[in-house]
Amino acid sequence: MDKNNITYVSLWESAYEKLKGLLPGHALNTWFEPLVPVAITNDELVLEAPNQFSYEWIDSHYKSNLKEAIGVVSNNSITYRFIVSANGQKKQIEESNVFVKTKKQPLPPPVNLNKSYMFESFIQGSNNEFAKSASESVSDSPGKNSFNPLIIYGGVGLGKTHLLHSIGNKIHQNNPNSKIVIVTSEKFTLDFVNSLRKNRTIEFAQQYRNADVLLIDDIQFFRGKEQTQEQFFHTFNVLQQSGKQIVMTADKYPGEMKGLQERLLSRFESGLSVDIQPPNFEIRIAILLEKAEQNGMVLDYNVIEFIARHIKKNVRDLEGAIIRILAKSSLLNKEIDFQLVKEVIRERIGSSFSPELSIEDVVKKVSEICNISETEIVGKSRKMEVAEARQLGMYLSRNILGTSLANIGVYFGGRDHSTVIHAVKTIDEKILKIEKIRKQVDIIKQELDFSLI
Ligand code: ADP
Ligand code: MG
């Protein structure tokens, strides 16, 4: 036994002697005799309790006596902390036991941790950067900053689960000894209910309370489940008090969640809540480019922009669109063209996709913004400003509606498809070079967008 070893064993022996003078014999035998000192770390005497219940009992009935006893024998230099025995039984203090406790084997990552949800694959934008940096910060020093608990909240499909798993993956990478427990609130509830059924609530509590990091997804599903919330409340307290990191996700700002106990919500306030907003247009484009690349697809920029214009609410839908386009093109053995993309988008957004929006609407809008009559736009005039408005009309019909080159040609005064290609290319180039054109395109798109979805 090394010196340190003797110190904590003898410290506990002295404290135990002290407790004899403070407590009746039965209390001592029932509650303190089974405790095993296992280490002194960070000026805390670590005591192993045989089970959760005994620890909770001591904590609620004899806390001050224990504190006093340890304080007296250590000149108030040491406090104490409990751990719960892993096998629920008292253990002998042996060299091997001490060895196991100090030299932990690396743990495998939890099986339900999704390895593909990493920070590296999470696209950052103004809608989620705060949530991402808070998550990274927690991963680098779990339990050691004031972001405890960290709560990531926001609507469906915005990347909450992705971030939660990224935290788990990063912590595991940084420290494979760290005990990470990651579950959905449904799984937590189910585990709890099963443990009640099988009379194994102690094991249930232990499984969660032994975690170094607890990651719980979608806590809104605790709504109305009083007994589960009770359990969660205790788990939460035990972990938070011992400096263990807790991260949760929710569909709403915690303060606005109905059906969750007040005391639980007020505990959450001690940490940090960060939101994720729906992605804006540019971020949707970035996500689509990334997802297309991940799937080995090369998509025309116009197609990407078309999807980003129509699918706005969440990232899951953007991803879904890409997958469906890919599936459809390979199953039907078809090229990925506008037609196919339009079909997929229409299927995905259903009736909210406005089939009414036509070339006519585009021309009307172009006419309004460029101050050129509709007849002129679809007519034969070669005047520069008219020709430019016509090219804008062709470009936007292609870009927003995905109308075929041939149909656009027919509508704009019976021109052939190469004229349309030329128009699209010209406007593409002008957008890069000429501020006025870029603004016109933006305004028209924005205004038409209102009528789109
Ligand atoms: P939530 O949990 O908020 O409902 P998810 O985390 O399940 O959303 O995200 C839905 C899908 O979108 C997942 O496949 C996820 O990888 C992807 N996703 C969400 N946000 C991003 C992002 N910022 N970058 C890359 N992929 C994302
Ligand atoms: Mg989720």
Side-chain angles (χ1 to χ4, degrees):
M1 281 197 186
D2 64 18
K3 186 167 155 281
N4 196 27
N5 223 340
I6 294 163
T7 319
Y8 68 73
V9 174
S10 59
L11 182 80
W12 176 238
E13 281 171 357
S14 315
Y16 191 78
E17 282 307 309
K18 194 83 212 155
L19 281 167
K20 280 186 184 167
L22 300 170
L23 295 171
H26 73 266
L28 214 58
N29 292 339
T30 316
W31 304 112
F32 291 88
E33 206 270 328
L35 297 180
V36 180
V38 288
I40 290 183
T41 51
N42 302 328
D43 296 330
E44 284 175 330
L45 172 64
V46 182
L47 295 170
E48 187 178 76
N51 53 52
Q52 189 68 27
F53 182 69
S54 73
Y55 145 60
E56 281 173 354
W57 188 270
I58 295 171
D59 210 43
S60 54
H61 293 78
Y62 305 113
K63 199 173 185 164
S64 58
N65 305 105
L66 182 57
K67 208 167 147 194
E68 182 186 338
I70 294 174
V72 168
V73 300
S74 69
N75 284 330
N76 285 328
S77 63
I78 306 274
T79 56
Y80 69 91
R81 170 162 71 89
F82 278 115
I83 58 168
V84 176
S85 164
N87 59 10
Q89 281 166 14
K90 180 178 172 178
K91 285 192 200 144
Q92 300 280 309
I93 314 168
E94 291 166 358
E95 290 288 353
S96 61
N97 188 22
V98 173
F99 178 77
V100 169
K101 293 220 171 279
T102 50
K103 288 209 170 170
K104 289 192 210 149
Q105 293 297 310
L107 299 167
V111 283
N112 52 349
L113 191 61
N114 186 333
K115 315 281 171 311
S116 63
Y117 287 166
M118 306 284 270
F119 286 122
E120 290 75 13
S121 59
F122 189 81
I123 296 156
Q124 187 173 329
S126 50
N127 61 323
N128 61 27
E129 61 194 356
F130 187 31
K132 187 185 176 202
S133 32
S135 303
E136 282 179 314
S137 163
V138 155
S139 314
D140 289 333
S141 47
K144 301 218 165 36
N145 50 36
S146 55
F147 307 162
N148 202 12
L150 173 67
I151 302 177
I152 305 166
Y153 69 94
V156 195
L158 295 180
K160 301 182 299 293
T161 299
H162 190 132
L163 277 183
L164 194 74
H165 285 254
S166 303
I167 294 174
N169 280 310
K170 188 74 185 288
I171 294 180
H172 181 75
Q173 257 172 22
N174 288 347
N175 178 10
N177 287 322
S178 194
K179 210 152 163 249
I180 301 165
V181 174
I182 178 161
V183 282
T184 58
S185 62
E186 290 105 318
K187 171 82 166 51
F188 185 95
T189 308
L190 200 69
D191 280 0
F192 174 58
V193 173
N194 279 335
S195 79
L196 280 179
R197 235 167 26 111
K198 296 183 186 145
N199 237 342
R200 296 174 69 89
T201 45
I202 291 173
E203 287 80 357
F204 166 82
Q206 201 166 310
Q207 178 194 347
Y208 284 97
R209 294 176 199 187
N210 280 347
D212 292 317
V213 180
L214 178 63
L215 308 171
I216 299 212
D217 209 0
D218 288 325
I219 54 165
Q220 67 271 16
F221 295 120
F222 281 145
R223 190 181 294 138
K225 296 173 183 143
E226 294 297 324
Q227 225 182 332
T228 306
Q229 285 186 37
E230 181 92 359
Q231 270 301 318
F232 181 60
F233 181 71
H234 291 305
T235 306
F236 183 94
N237 286 343
V238 170
L239 292 177
Q240 202 191 35
Q241 275 158 19
S242 46
K244 303 301 171 62
Q245 181 70 49
I246 304 159
V247 185
M248 297 173 272
T249 71
D251 66 346
K252 279 195 192 60
Y253 175 67
E256 289 171 5
M257 275 196 289
K258 297 206 174 72
L260 253 64
Q261 295 171 1
E262 235 356 272
R263 59 176 187 169
L264 207 49
L265 296 180
S266 80
R267 282 300 152 107
F268 295 170
E269 276 165 18
S270 62
L272 177 73
S273 298
V274 287
D275 68 333
I276 306 188
Q277 293 291 329
N280 65 22
F281 179 70
E282 285 76 12
I283 299 165
R284 296 203 296 277
I285 296 271
I287 289 168
L288 286 166
L289 287 169
E290 171 74 25
K291 301 283 171 188
E293 192 183 304
Q294 279 171 13
N295 288 291
M297 291 156 87
V298 185
L299 288 181
D300 202 59
Y301 183 77
N302 281 336
V303 168
I304 295 272
E305 199 177 312
F306 181 82
I307 304 170
R309 288 209 161 273
H310 291 86
I311 297 192
K312 299 178 171 179
K313 287 213 192 83
N314 76 49
V315 184
R316 185 175 294 141
D317 285 356
L318 289 171
E319 204 170 51
I322 292 282
I323 307 278
R324 285 178 77 113
I325 290 168
L326 189 66
K328 197 153 187 162
S329 106
S330 66
L331 289 176
L332 303 179
N333 203 12
K334 271 192 184 167
E335 287 271 323
I336 299 176
D337 58 8
F338 250 126
Q339 195 49 44
L340 186 135
V341 171
K342 247 170 64 177
E343 274 167 30
V344 169
I345 302 291
R346 200 187 298 269
E347 282 161 17
R348 283 205 73 84
I349 61 181
S351 56
S352 61
F353 180 86
S354 164
E356 290 81 39
L357 194 65
S358 61
I359 301 193
E360 215 177 327
D361 301 308
V362 172
V363 171
K364 202 177 260 164
K365 199 45 89 184
V366 172
S367 154
E368 226 176 274
I369 303 291
C370 302
N371 210 9
I372 309 271
S373 77
E374 289 173 50
T375 341
E376 275 185 299
I377 291 176
V378 299
K380 301 277 177 218
S381 165
R382 289 173 182 270
K383 267 201 286 184
M384 213 176 67
E385 61 270 27
V386 177
E388 194 171 82
R390 186 177 302 129
Q391 287 184 328
L392 262 179
M394 291 180 176
Y395 169 87
L396 290 164
S397 303
R398 181 75 179 146
N399 195 279
I400 300 178
L401 306 175
T403 314
S404 73
L405 297 170
N407 284 348
I408 295 175
V410 170
Y411 192 89
F412 286 84
R415 292 166 162 91
D416 70 13
H417 80 279
S418 63
T419 312
V420 183
I421 292 178
H422 177 73
V424 171
K425 211 170 133 225
T426 308
I427 298 295
D428 256 336
E429 284 165 10
K430 285 189 176 172
I431 285 175
L432 295 178
K433 289 189 207 133
I434 305 169
E435 177 73 17
K436 185 182 140 224
I437 298 281
R438 182 163 55 241
K439 282 210 172 120
Q440 280 177 337
V441 169
D442 276 351
I443 290 171
I444 297 171
K445 279 184 175 176
Q446 263 172 29
E447 294 195 2
L448 286 174
D449 244 8
F450 275 114
S451 49
L452 260 179
I453 295 209

